[in-house]
Short mmCIF file of all heavy atoms in Angstrom, two decimals:
data_model
loop_
_atom_site.label_atom_id
_atom_site.label_comp_id
_atom_site.label_asym_id
_atom_site.label_seq_id
_atom_site.Cartn_x
_atom_site.Cartn_y
_atom_site.Cartn_z
N MET A 1 35.94 13.11 6.15
CA MET A 1 36.27 12.38 7.45
C MET A 1 37.34 13.11 8.23
O MET A 1 37.31 13.26 9.45
CB MET A 1 36.90 10.97 6.95
CG MET A 1 37.20 9.96 8.12
SD MET A 1 35.74 9.58 9.01
CE MET A 1 36.40 8.58 10.22
N ALA A 2 38.30 13.78 7.48
CA ALA A 2 39.33 14.51 8.25
C ALA A 2 38.62 15.75 8.93
O ALA A 2 38.96 16.24 10.08
CB ALA A 2 40.32 15.02 7.28
N GLY A 3 37.66 16.32 8.25
CA GLY A 3 36.90 17.51 8.91
C GLY A 3 36.26 17.04 10.15
O GLY A 3 36.13 17.73 11.15
N PHE A 4 35.67 15.90 10.17
CA PHE A 4 34.95 15.40 11.34
C PHE A 4 35.97 15.18 12.49
O PHE A 4 35.63 15.48 13.60
CB PHE A 4 34.22 14.17 11.03
CG PHE A 4 33.32 13.57 12.13
CD1 PHE A 4 32.41 14.31 12.69
CD2 PHE A 4 33.87 12.31 12.75
CE1 PHE A 4 31.70 13.68 13.75
CE2 PHE A 4 33.14 11.81 13.77
CZ PHE A 4 32.12 12.46 14.26
N LEU A 5 37.09 14.59 12.15
CA LEU A 5 38.10 14.37 13.19
C LEU A 5 38.55 15.67 13.70
O LEU A 5 38.88 15.67 14.98
CB LEU A 5 39.23 13.42 12.66
CG LEU A 5 38.74 11.98 12.29
CD1 LEU A 5 39.96 11.30 11.58
CD2 LEU A 5 38.34 11.28 13.52
N LEU A 6 38.88 16.64 12.89
CA LEU A 6 39.28 17.94 13.39
C LEU A 6 38.26 18.50 14.23
O LEU A 6 38.52 19.10 15.28
CB LEU A 6 39.55 18.79 12.21
CG LEU A 6 40.82 18.57 11.58
CD1 LEU A 6 41.07 19.45 10.20
CD2 LEU A 6 42.16 18.78 12.42
N TRP A 7 36.92 18.42 13.95
CA TRP A 7 35.88 18.95 14.77
C TRP A 7 35.85 18.22 16.02
O TRP A 7 35.66 18.83 17.13
CB TRP A 7 34.47 18.79 14.12
CG TRP A 7 33.42 19.44 14.82
CD1 TRP A 7 33.19 20.72 14.85
CD2 TRP A 7 32.54 18.74 15.79
NE1 TRP A 7 32.13 21.08 15.74
CE2 TRP A 7 31.69 19.79 16.35
CE3 TRP A 7 32.37 17.55 16.19
CZ2 TRP A 7 30.67 19.55 17.21
CZ3 TRP A 7 31.42 17.22 17.16
CH2 TRP A 7 30.61 18.26 17.53
N LEU A 8 36.08 16.95 16.14
CA LEU A 8 36.08 16.18 17.44
C LEU A 8 37.29 16.64 18.29
O LEU A 8 37.14 16.76 19.40
CB LEU A 8 36.17 14.73 17.15
CG LEU A 8 34.98 14.00 16.73
CD1 LEU A 8 35.22 12.52 16.44
CD2 LEU A 8 33.82 14.16 17.75
N LEU A 9 38.40 16.85 17.56
CA LEU A 9 39.65 17.42 18.30
C LEU A 9 39.21 18.79 18.96
O LEU A 9 39.64 19.00 20.05
CB LEU A 9 40.82 17.48 17.44
CG LEU A 9 42.11 17.72 17.96
CD1 LEU A 9 42.61 16.67 18.92
CD2 LEU A 9 43.12 17.95 16.89
N LEU A 10 38.60 19.54 18.15
CA LEU A 10 38.25 20.92 18.69
C LEU A 10 37.21 20.68 19.68
O LEU A 10 37.32 21.49 20.84
CB LEU A 10 37.60 21.71 17.58
CG LEU A 10 37.20 23.23 17.90
CD1 LEU A 10 38.49 24.02 18.29
CD2 LEU A 10 36.52 23.78 16.63
N LEU A 11 36.32 19.75 19.70
CA LEU A 11 35.33 19.59 20.77
C LEU A 11 36.07 19.22 22.01
O LEU A 11 35.62 19.64 23.13
CB LEU A 11 34.36 18.49 20.36
CG LEU A 11 33.31 18.17 21.30
CD1 LEU A 11 32.43 19.31 21.51
CD2 LEU A 11 32.47 16.92 20.72
N VAL A 12 37.14 18.42 22.03
CA VAL A 12 37.77 17.88 23.20
C VAL A 12 38.51 19.12 23.82
O VAL A 12 38.53 19.20 25.07
CB VAL A 12 38.79 16.76 22.89
CG1 VAL A 12 39.72 16.44 23.93
CG2 VAL A 12 37.96 15.54 22.45
N PHE A 13 39.21 19.92 23.01
CA PHE A 13 40.09 20.93 23.59
C PHE A 13 39.24 22.28 23.82
O PHE A 13 39.75 23.04 24.87
CB PHE A 13 41.20 21.25 22.73
CG PHE A 13 42.24 20.13 22.66
CD1 PHE A 13 42.45 19.25 21.63
CD2 PHE A 13 42.98 19.90 23.83
CE1 PHE A 13 43.33 18.27 21.75
CE2 PHE A 13 43.94 18.84 23.93
CZ PHE A 13 44.07 18.07 22.84
N CYS A 14 38.39 22.66 23.05
CA CYS A 14 37.59 23.87 23.13
C CYS A 14 36.17 23.62 22.84
O CYS A 14 35.62 24.06 21.73
CB CYS A 14 38.33 24.91 22.34
SG CYS A 14 37.67 26.53 22.62
N TRP A 15 35.38 22.99 23.68
CA TRP A 15 34.06 22.69 23.39
C TRP A 15 33.15 23.89 23.04
O TRP A 15 32.24 23.72 22.18
CB TRP A 15 33.51 21.71 24.35
CG TRP A 15 33.36 22.32 25.80
CD1 TRP A 15 34.19 22.22 26.73
CD2 TRP A 15 32.11 23.02 26.33
NE1 TRP A 15 33.79 22.93 27.94
CE2 TRP A 15 32.47 23.36 27.56
CE3 TRP A 15 30.98 23.43 25.72
CZ2 TRP A 15 31.57 24.17 28.39
CZ3 TRP A 15 30.05 24.17 26.58
CH2 TRP A 15 30.48 24.46 27.84
N PRO A 16 33.26 25.09 23.74
CA PRO A 16 32.23 26.12 23.33
C PRO A 16 32.49 26.43 21.88
O PRO A 16 31.53 26.83 21.12
CB PRO A 16 32.67 27.29 24.31
CG PRO A 16 33.33 26.54 25.44
CD PRO A 16 34.10 25.44 24.87
N LEU A 17 33.81 26.57 21.42
CA LEU A 17 34.03 27.02 20.03
C LEU A 17 33.60 25.97 19.13
O LEU A 17 32.98 26.31 18.01
CB LEU A 17 35.56 27.18 19.82
CG LEU A 17 35.96 27.78 18.50
CD1 LEU A 17 35.36 29.19 18.38
CD2 LEU A 17 37.56 27.91 18.49
N ALA A 18 33.68 24.68 19.38
CA ALA A 18 33.16 23.61 18.52
C ALA A 18 31.68 23.66 18.43
O ALA A 18 31.14 23.44 17.33
CB ALA A 18 33.48 22.30 19.15
N LEU A 19 30.88 23.98 19.59
CA LEU A 19 29.58 24.03 19.54
C LEU A 19 29.09 25.31 18.72
O LEU A 19 28.08 25.16 17.93
CB LEU A 19 28.89 24.01 20.88
CG LEU A 19 28.98 22.67 21.66
CD1 LEU A 19 28.48 22.91 23.02
CD2 LEU A 19 28.41 21.56 20.89
N LEU A 20 29.80 26.30 18.82
CA LEU A 20 29.41 27.52 18.15
C LEU A 20 29.69 27.28 16.57
O LEU A 20 28.85 27.70 15.84
CB LEU A 20 30.41 28.72 18.60
CG LEU A 20 30.13 30.05 17.90
CD1 LEU A 20 28.76 30.58 18.31
CD2 LEU A 20 31.22 31.00 18.14
N ALA A 21 30.72 26.60 16.24
CA ALA A 21 31.01 26.28 14.86
C ALA A 21 29.83 25.35 14.33
O ALA A 21 29.32 25.52 13.26
CB ALA A 21 32.32 25.60 14.62
N LEU A 22 29.42 24.35 15.18
CA LEU A 22 28.35 23.46 14.83
C LEU A 22 27.04 24.31 14.53
O LEU A 22 26.28 23.92 13.63
CB LEU A 22 28.09 22.42 15.83
CG LEU A 22 27.35 21.25 15.49
CD1 LEU A 22 27.91 20.37 14.42
CD2 LEU A 22 27.11 20.45 16.79
N VAL A 23 26.75 25.31 15.39
CA VAL A 23 25.55 26.03 15.15
C VAL A 23 25.57 26.93 14.02
O VAL A 23 24.66 27.22 13.20
CB VAL A 23 25.21 26.75 16.50
CG1 VAL A 23 24.10 27.70 16.37
CG2 VAL A 23 24.79 25.74 17.54
N LEU A 24 26.80 27.64 13.81
CA LEU A 24 26.93 28.63 12.80
C LEU A 24 27.12 28.09 11.39
O LEU A 24 26.77 28.80 10.42
CB LEU A 24 28.08 29.54 13.14
CG LEU A 24 27.94 30.54 14.31
CD1 LEU A 24 29.12 31.46 14.48
CD2 LEU A 24 26.64 31.37 14.06
N TYR A 25 27.57 26.91 11.20
CA TYR A 25 27.84 26.31 9.83
C TYR A 25 26.57 26.28 8.97
O TYR A 25 26.66 26.79 7.81
CB TYR A 25 28.38 24.87 10.02
CG TYR A 25 28.69 24.29 8.73
CD1 TYR A 25 29.86 24.65 7.99
CD2 TYR A 25 27.90 23.39 8.04
CE1 TYR A 25 30.25 24.13 6.78
CE2 TYR A 25 28.19 22.88 6.83
CZ TYR A 25 29.32 23.31 6.17
OH TYR A 25 29.70 22.65 4.96
N PRO A 26 25.53 25.83 9.49
CA PRO A 26 24.16 25.91 8.62
C PRO A 26 23.85 27.40 8.22
O PRO A 26 23.25 27.61 7.12
CB PRO A 26 23.08 25.13 9.46
CG PRO A 26 23.83 24.52 10.44
CD PRO A 26 25.16 25.16 10.65
N ILE A 27 23.91 28.28 9.16
CA ILE A 27 23.66 29.70 8.96
C ILE A 27 24.59 30.27 7.88
O ILE A 27 24.02 30.93 6.94
CB ILE A 27 23.68 30.47 10.38
CG1 ILE A 27 22.71 29.96 11.25
CG2 ILE A 27 23.51 32.01 9.97
CD1 ILE A 27 22.67 30.44 12.69
N VAL A 28 25.92 30.07 8.02
CA VAL A 28 26.80 30.52 7.12
C VAL A 28 26.43 29.85 5.70
O VAL A 28 26.59 30.64 4.65
CB VAL A 28 28.21 30.29 7.54
CG1 VAL A 28 29.14 30.60 6.38
CG2 VAL A 28 28.51 31.09 8.75
N TRP A 29 26.18 28.76 5.63
CA TRP A 29 25.91 28.01 4.29
C TRP A 29 24.61 28.62 3.71
O TRP A 29 24.55 28.88 2.41
CB TRP A 29 25.61 26.49 4.70
CG TRP A 29 25.45 25.69 3.38
CD1 TRP A 29 26.43 25.18 2.60
CD2 TRP A 29 24.23 25.40 2.76
NE1 TRP A 29 25.88 24.51 1.51
CE2 TRP A 29 24.49 24.61 1.58
CE3 TRP A 29 22.85 25.64 3.08
CZ2 TRP A 29 23.44 24.06 0.83
CZ3 TRP A 29 21.86 25.11 2.23
CH2 TRP A 29 22.19 24.43 1.09
N LEU A 30 23.60 28.94 4.40
CA LEU A 30 22.47 29.52 4.08
C LEU A 30 22.77 31.00 3.55
O LEU A 30 22.19 31.45 2.44
CB LEU A 30 21.32 29.58 4.95
CG LEU A 30 20.56 28.26 5.21
CD1 LEU A 30 19.49 28.50 6.49
CD2 LEU A 30 19.88 27.95 4.00
N VAL A 31 23.56 31.72 4.19
CA VAL A 31 23.92 33.23 3.73
C VAL A 31 24.64 33.01 2.41
O VAL A 31 24.52 33.90 1.52
CB VAL A 31 24.67 33.81 4.91
CG1 VAL A 31 25.36 35.01 4.46
CG2 VAL A 31 23.86 34.09 6.09
N LEU A 32 25.68 32.02 2.33
CA LEU A 32 26.44 31.94 1.06
C LEU A 32 25.72 31.35 -0.03
O LEU A 32 26.16 31.39 -1.30
CB LEU A 32 27.67 31.26 1.35
CG LEU A 32 28.61 31.87 2.38
CD1 LEU A 32 29.83 30.98 2.49
CD2 LEU A 32 29.10 33.20 1.84
N LEU A 33 24.55 30.68 0.02
CA LEU A 33 23.79 30.04 -0.98
C LEU A 33 23.47 31.02 -2.16
O LEU A 33 23.58 30.56 -3.35
CB LEU A 33 22.61 29.33 -0.39
CG LEU A 33 21.72 28.44 -1.42
CD1 LEU A 33 22.70 27.28 -1.91
CD2 LEU A 33 20.57 27.98 -0.63
N PRO A 34 22.93 32.26 -1.91
CA PRO A 34 22.62 33.11 -3.09
C PRO A 34 23.90 33.45 -3.89
O PRO A 34 23.75 33.50 -5.08
CB PRO A 34 22.01 34.41 -2.38
CG PRO A 34 21.62 33.93 -1.18
CD PRO A 34 22.45 32.73 -0.67
N PHE A 35 25.01 33.48 -3.33
CA PHE A 35 26.31 33.84 -4.17
C PHE A 35 26.63 32.57 -4.91
O PHE A 35 27.02 32.80 -6.07
CB PHE A 35 27.31 34.17 -3.18
CG PHE A 35 27.20 35.45 -2.41
CD1 PHE A 35 26.81 35.41 -1.06
CD2 PHE A 35 27.10 36.66 -3.09
CE1 PHE A 35 26.57 36.60 -0.34
CE2 PHE A 35 26.87 37.89 -2.40
CZ PHE A 35 26.61 37.80 -1.01
N ARG A 36 26.40 31.38 -4.40
CA ARG A 36 26.63 30.19 -5.27
C ARG A 36 25.73 30.15 -6.44
O ARG A 36 26.09 29.90 -7.48
CB ARG A 36 26.43 28.94 -4.37
CG ARG A 36 27.53 28.82 -3.33
CD ARG A 36 27.10 27.60 -2.42
NE ARG A 36 28.28 26.74 -2.45
CZ ARG A 36 28.17 25.53 -1.91
NH1 ARG A 36 27.07 25.02 -1.45
NH2 ARG A 36 29.27 24.82 -1.86
N LEU A 37 24.43 30.46 -6.07
CA LEU A 37 23.38 30.54 -7.18
C LEU A 37 23.75 31.55 -8.30
O LEU A 37 23.65 31.47 -9.44
CB LEU A 37 22.06 30.71 -6.68
CG LEU A 37 21.49 29.55 -5.92
CD1 LEU A 37 20.12 29.98 -5.26
CD2 LEU A 37 21.36 28.31 -6.72
N LEU A 38 24.24 32.77 -7.84
CA LEU A 38 24.67 33.85 -8.78
C LEU A 38 25.92 33.42 -9.53
O LEU A 38 25.95 33.68 -10.78
CB LEU A 38 24.96 35.06 -7.91
CG LEU A 38 25.41 36.33 -8.64
CD1 LEU A 38 24.28 36.86 -9.52
CD2 LEU A 38 25.82 37.46 -7.80
N GLY A 39 26.82 32.68 -8.95
CA GLY A 39 27.97 32.25 -9.62
C GLY A 39 27.59 31.19 -10.76
O GLY A 39 28.07 31.23 -11.88
N LEU A 40 26.69 30.35 -10.36
CA LEU A 40 26.08 29.38 -11.30
C LEU A 40 25.43 30.03 -12.53
O LEU A 40 25.65 29.70 -13.61
CB LEU A 40 25.17 28.32 -10.65
CG LEU A 40 24.75 27.27 -11.50
CD1 LEU A 40 25.83 26.32 -11.92
CD2 LEU A 40 23.57 26.38 -10.73
N THR A 41 24.66 31.06 -12.26
CA THR A 41 23.89 31.76 -13.32
C THR A 41 24.98 32.49 -14.19
O THR A 41 24.75 32.64 -15.39
CB THR A 41 22.98 32.80 -12.61
OG1 THR A 41 22.00 31.99 -11.71
CG2 THR A 41 22.14 33.53 -13.66
N MET A 42 25.85 33.15 -13.62
CA MET A 42 26.90 33.87 -14.42
C MET A 42 27.68 32.97 -15.20
O MET A 42 27.96 33.38 -16.47
CB MET A 42 27.80 34.76 -13.47
CG MET A 42 27.01 35.92 -12.82
SD MET A 42 26.16 36.95 -13.81
CE MET A 42 27.50 37.70 -14.75
N ASN A 43 27.94 31.76 -14.82
CA ASN A 43 28.75 30.89 -15.50
C ASN A 43 27.85 30.36 -16.75
O ASN A 43 28.35 30.29 -17.89
CB ASN A 43 29.17 29.66 -14.68
CG ASN A 43 30.05 28.72 -15.36
OD1 ASN A 43 30.71 29.10 -16.34
ND2 ASN A 43 30.05 27.57 -14.81
N ALA A 44 26.55 30.27 -16.55
CA ALA A 44 25.67 29.92 -17.64
C ALA A 44 25.62 30.96 -18.64
O ALA A 44 25.62 30.70 -19.88
CB ALA A 44 24.40 29.43 -17.02
N VAL A 45 25.45 32.16 -18.19
CA VAL A 45 25.38 33.31 -19.08
C VAL A 45 26.58 33.40 -19.93
O VAL A 45 26.60 33.65 -21.23
CB VAL A 45 24.98 34.57 -18.29
CG1 VAL A 45 25.31 35.83 -19.20
CG2 VAL A 45 23.63 34.52 -17.77
N PHE A 46 27.75 33.34 -19.34
CA PHE A 46 29.04 33.53 -20.08
C PHE A 46 29.15 32.32 -21.08
O PHE A 46 29.71 32.56 -22.15
CB PHE A 46 30.21 33.64 -19.11
CG PHE A 46 30.31 35.05 -18.50
CD1 PHE A 46 30.56 35.06 -17.16
CD2 PHE A 46 30.07 36.06 -19.23
CE1 PHE A 46 30.69 36.20 -16.51
CE2 PHE A 46 30.36 37.33 -18.60
CZ PHE A 46 30.57 37.39 -17.36
N ALA A 47 28.72 31.17 -20.68
CA ALA A 47 28.88 29.98 -21.55
C ALA A 47 27.87 30.18 -22.80
O ALA A 47 28.22 29.80 -23.93
CB ALA A 47 28.54 28.66 -20.90
N PHE A 48 26.74 30.71 -22.59
CA PHE A 48 25.81 31.02 -23.66
C PHE A 48 26.35 32.13 -24.57
O PHE A 48 26.33 32.02 -25.78
CB PHE A 48 24.43 31.54 -22.97
CG PHE A 48 23.49 32.02 -24.16
CD1 PHE A 48 22.94 30.97 -24.95
CD2 PHE A 48 23.12 33.36 -24.26
CE1 PHE A 48 21.96 31.43 -25.86
CE2 PHE A 48 22.29 33.67 -25.12
CZ PHE A 48 21.71 32.71 -26.05
N LEU A 49 26.98 33.10 -24.02
CA LEU A 49 27.54 34.28 -24.77
C LEU A 49 28.67 33.68 -25.63
O LEU A 49 28.83 34.11 -26.73
CB LEU A 49 27.94 35.41 -23.95
CG LEU A 49 26.82 36.26 -23.35
CD1 LEU A 49 27.37 37.30 -22.44
CD2 LEU A 49 25.97 36.93 -24.46
N HIS A 50 29.47 32.90 -25.03
CA HIS A 50 30.65 32.31 -25.79
C HIS A 50 30.11 31.43 -27.00
O HIS A 50 30.66 31.62 -28.05
CB HIS A 50 31.43 31.44 -24.88
CG HIS A 50 32.70 30.82 -25.51
ND1 HIS A 50 32.61 29.52 -25.92
CD2 HIS A 50 33.89 31.36 -25.83
CE1 HIS A 50 33.85 29.29 -26.45
NE2 HIS A 50 34.59 30.43 -26.34
N ALA A 51 29.09 30.62 -26.75
CA ALA A 51 28.57 29.81 -27.77
C ALA A 51 28.00 30.71 -28.94
O ALA A 51 28.06 30.42 -30.07
CB ALA A 51 27.62 28.79 -27.16
N LEU A 52 27.25 31.70 -28.47
CA LEU A 52 26.59 32.66 -29.43
C LEU A 52 27.66 33.43 -30.31
O LEU A 52 27.49 33.50 -31.51
CB LEU A 52 25.69 33.56 -28.62
CG LEU A 52 24.67 34.46 -29.43
CD1 LEU A 52 23.64 33.35 -30.13
CD2 LEU A 52 24.03 35.42 -28.62
N LEU A 53 28.70 33.89 -29.72
CA LEU A 53 29.72 34.52 -30.42
C LEU A 53 30.54 33.66 -31.25
O LEU A 53 31.04 34.10 -32.29
CB LEU A 53 30.49 35.35 -29.53
CG LEU A 53 29.85 36.59 -28.69
CD1 LEU A 53 30.77 37.12 -27.78
CD2 LEU A 53 29.26 37.57 -29.74
N MET A 54 30.72 32.36 -30.86
CA MET A 54 31.53 31.44 -31.66
C MET A 54 30.85 30.73 -32.66
O MET A 54 31.28 29.99 -33.47
CB MET A 54 32.29 30.55 -30.71
CG MET A 54 33.31 31.13 -29.81
SD MET A 54 34.55 31.81 -30.83
CE MET A 54 34.87 33.35 -29.93
N LEU A 55 29.35 30.97 -32.74
CA LEU A 55 28.72 30.23 -33.63
C LEU A 55 29.03 30.55 -35.12
O LEU A 55 29.25 29.54 -36.05
CB LEU A 55 27.12 30.57 -33.47
CG LEU A 55 26.11 29.81 -34.40
CD1 LEU A 55 26.27 28.26 -34.09
CD2 LEU A 55 24.79 30.27 -34.07
N PRO A 56 29.34 31.73 -35.59
CA PRO A 56 29.75 31.99 -37.02
C PRO A 56 31.03 31.24 -37.32
O PRO A 56 31.14 30.56 -38.46
CB PRO A 56 29.83 33.46 -37.13
CG PRO A 56 29.04 33.99 -35.94
CD PRO A 56 29.05 33.05 -34.95
N ALA A 57 31.82 31.22 -36.39
CA ALA A 57 33.23 30.55 -36.70
C ALA A 57 32.99 29.07 -36.84
O ALA A 57 33.65 28.43 -37.66
CB ALA A 57 34.24 30.81 -35.54
N ARG A 58 32.10 28.50 -35.99
CA ARG A 58 31.82 27.04 -36.04
C ARG A 58 31.08 26.76 -37.34
O ARG A 58 31.32 25.65 -38.00
CB ARG A 58 30.95 26.68 -34.89
CG ARG A 58 31.81 26.72 -33.63
CD ARG A 58 30.98 26.06 -32.42
NE ARG A 58 30.91 24.61 -32.72
CZ ARG A 58 30.64 23.74 -31.77
NH1 ARG A 58 30.33 24.14 -30.58
NH2 ARG A 58 30.57 22.51 -32.06
N VAL A 59 30.20 27.67 -37.79
CA VAL A 59 29.45 27.37 -39.07
C VAL A 59 30.46 27.40 -40.20
O VAL A 59 30.39 26.51 -41.14
CB VAL A 59 28.38 28.40 -39.19
CG1 VAL A 59 27.79 28.23 -40.61
CG2 VAL A 59 27.24 28.00 -38.12
N LEU A 60 31.24 28.29 -40.21
CA LEU A 60 32.29 28.42 -41.32
C LEU A 60 33.30 27.30 -41.37
O LEU A 60 33.82 26.98 -42.41
CB LEU A 60 33.02 29.79 -41.25
CG LEU A 60 32.17 31.10 -41.50
CD1 LEU A 60 32.92 32.35 -41.36
CD2 LEU A 60 31.71 30.98 -43.00
N ARG A 61 33.71 26.89 -40.12
CA ARG A 61 34.80 25.81 -40.16
C ARG A 61 34.03 24.45 -40.58
O ARG A 61 34.79 23.66 -41.06
CB ARG A 61 35.31 25.73 -38.67
CG ARG A 61 36.43 24.82 -38.55
CD ARG A 61 37.11 24.71 -37.05
NE ARG A 61 36.68 25.77 -36.31
CZ ARG A 61 36.40 25.59 -34.90
NH1 ARG A 61 36.26 24.41 -34.52
NH2 ARG A 61 36.02 26.60 -34.32
N GLY A 62 32.88 24.28 -40.27
CA GLY A 62 32.21 22.96 -40.63
C GLY A 62 31.76 22.85 -42.02
O GLY A 62 31.45 21.96 -42.57
N ARG A 63 31.89 24.01 -42.78
CA ARG A 63 31.49 24.05 -44.12
C ARG A 63 32.59 23.36 -45.05
O ARG A 63 33.70 23.58 -44.99
CB ARG A 63 31.29 25.45 -44.63
CG ARG A 63 31.00 25.74 -46.07
CD ARG A 63 31.13 27.10 -46.50
NE ARG A 63 29.93 27.79 -46.46
CZ ARG A 63 29.76 29.06 -46.65
NH1 ARG A 63 30.91 29.74 -46.72
NH2 ARG A 63 28.57 29.68 -46.53
N PRO A 64 32.04 22.45 -45.99
CA PRO A 64 33.06 21.74 -46.93
C PRO A 64 33.49 22.71 -47.79
O PRO A 64 32.81 23.66 -48.39
CB PRO A 64 32.17 20.60 -47.47
CG PRO A 64 30.73 20.98 -47.14
CD PRO A 64 30.70 21.94 -46.01
N ALA A 65 34.81 22.53 -48.28
CA ALA A 65 35.44 23.34 -49.17
C ALA A 65 35.14 23.04 -50.71
O ALA A 65 34.88 21.96 -51.08
CB ALA A 65 37.00 23.32 -49.01
#
């Protein structure tokens, strides 16, 4: 809501810049989308490696004495 109000304020005081921001926002979002997907993938890979490397410790810890 605050972002929308700031955009309206920008529209009142500097409408060409507000319209440019309105047009460029989807383009910037599309350009940054592959980096978000890459970050999600890397997070999953590191979580998998962490689980794989910690598996022997979890097996030994769960073993009854």
Side-chain angles (χ1 to χ4, degrees):
M1 184 68 181
F4 180 68
L5 291 175
L6 285 173
W7 185 82
L8 284 177
L9 189 65
L10 183 64
L11 180 63
V12 168
F13 288 112
C14 186
W15 62 270
L17 187 61
L19 292 178
L20 183 67
L22 189 65
V23 169
L24 288 181
Y25 182 78
I27 296 169
V28 170
W29 187 84
L30 282 174
V31 167
L32 293 179
L33 188 61
F35 296 108
R36 294 173 125 193
L37 293 174
L38 180 66
L40 183 67
T41 304
M42 293 306 294
N43 191 18
V45 167
F46 285 135
F48 174 72
L49 287 176
H50 181 264
L52 193 64
L53 292 174
M54 292 297 137
L55 184 63
R58 293 186 69 160
V59 169
L60 291 176
R61 190 176 342 138
R63 179 193 262 173

